[in-house]
Amino acid sequence: MATVAYPAPRPSGVARLVSDTWTSMLRILLNYRHSPGLLAASLGVPVIMVVVFGYVFGSAVQVPGGGDYREFLMPGLFAMVATNGVMPTMVGAARDVGRGVTDRLRSMPVSRTGLLLGQTLADLLVSVAVLALMALVGLAAGWRARHGLADTAGAFALLLLFRFVMTWVGTLLGLIVGKEEAAGQLAVVVFPVAMVTNAYVPTLGMPGWLRAVADWNPISSVVQACRELFGNPSAPGTAWPMQHAALAALLWSAVLLALCMPLAVRKFATHGR
């Protein structure tokens, strides 16, 4: 009598979440493996940023209270790497929706949270490499972390947390937009949000209303917190987020993650309904 082979039952609960997260993460990392140009661009942009902003614009910017501009700049560039997690995840999520990948994934007995979490974790691993390369370039350009190993590790942990949050923001926006071309065009909205900060220039010279916007920008809190942890020059001003930068950065991250993560999972699960 022939033996009937039944498929192994799907894991449930935490095991299913971990399995689907791992599979989704490998899917994104293999995309980098088969797209060396994409990986080269991800690693090359930090070098260009340090050269352009540190050497081309650096001679024209004075840090209030003195200090080397490139040391003032590097935490801002680190924060820009974290913030830029919005764009690739937004475009990727919109592309998957437009090409029907999202619908195919939704039809499978997989964890919705695990699929999206795997994508964000894959982006986080790439970000570790990008931040490491930028740190090496910064060291070559004269930047130093002056407050010891613990504070330096804390600064990079904060940057990775913010990158993780920004990937969830990008995933939600991509699922809402649903078209790759439209997601790409949203860069014109993301760009000014990233520029109206203290990343490149001190906010002290901005008009009062613009300075208030910049000081309360979540990115500015991350930048200021990193400057304090690294021991780099800064010009914080008197706004509450600048006086309590690390706390403000953590609060912004918690609020954005609490809003965007469940909304992204819900949008992914109910897309097209």
Side-chain angles (χ1 to χ4, degrees):
M1 183 175 180
T3 303
V4 178
Y6 293 96
R10 284 279 299 163
S12 59
V14 175
R16 177 179 175 181
L17 175 63
V18 172
S19 175
D20 292 339
T21 297
W22 177 255
T23 302
S24 178
M25 183 172 66
L26 287 181
R27 169 179 170 257
I28 301 300
L29 292 177
L30 285 174
N31 184 45
Y32 278 96
R33 178 183 176 183
H34 296 299
S35 303
L38 180 61
L39 183 60
S42 299
L43 296 176
V45 168
V47 179
I48 297 172
M49 291 175 69
V50 174
V51 172
V52 171
F53 289 100
Y55 289 94
V56 177
F57 297 152
S59 59
V61 179
Q62 298 295 324
V63 180
D68 181 73
Y69 175 72
R70 284 191 288 276
E71 287 208 358
F72 173 87
L73 174 68
M74 284 305 301
L77 295 183
F78 288 139
M80 287 301 106
V81 170
T83 304
N84 287 341
V86 170
M87 289 308 302
T89 50
M90 179 169 63
V91 172
R95 180 174 56 245
D96 284 349
V97 171
R99 296 181 179 178
V101 176
T102 299
D103 289 334
R104 290 197 295 273
L105 291 173
R106 282 183 58 249
S107 67
M108 299 177 182
V110 295
S111 168
R112 311 304 195 237
T113 302
L115 286 174
L116 297 182
L117 183 60
Q119 295 175 14
T120 57
L121 290 178
D123 176 88
L124 201 63
L125 288 177
V126 175
S127 301
V128 171
V130 174
L131 286 172
L133 177 61
M134 177 170 275
L136 291 175
V137 176
L139 289 170
W143 168 76
R144 296 291 183 272
R146 303 185 181 280
H147 277 181
L149 182 59
D151 283 352
T152 300
F156 282 113
L158 180 60
L159 290 165
L160 291 173
L161 170 64
F162 197 65
R163 174 79 182 207
F164 182 72
V165 172
M166 288 296 101
T167 57
W168 281 103
V169 173
T171 299
L172 176 60
L173 292 175
L175 291 171
I176 292 173
V177 172
K179 294 183 179 180
E180 184 177 357
E181 297 80 5
Q185 292 172 357
L186 279 181
V188 299
V189 177
V190 176
F191 180 74
V193 173
M195 291 301 295
V196 184
T197 66
N198 61 354
Y200 303 107
V201 296
T203 61
L204 298 176
M206 297 180 181
W209 65 272
L210 187 61
R211 178 181 174 185
V213 173
D215 285 345
W216 283 87
N217 189 321
I219 302 170
S220 292
S221 297
V222 175
V223 174
Q224 180 60 27
C226 289
R227 283 179 179 141
E228 293 175 359
L229 289 168
F230 287 136
N232 296 149
S234 65
T238 59
W240 186 89
M242 298 296 96
Q243 292 295 314
H244 308 84
L247 176 60
L250 291 173
L251 289 175
W252 276 119
S253 297
V255 169
L256 290 171
L257 191 61
L259 287 174
C260 294
M261 185 174 180
L263 287 176
V265 173
R266 181 178 178 183
K267 182 65 178 177
F268 181 88
T270 60
H271 173 71
R273 294 180 182 177

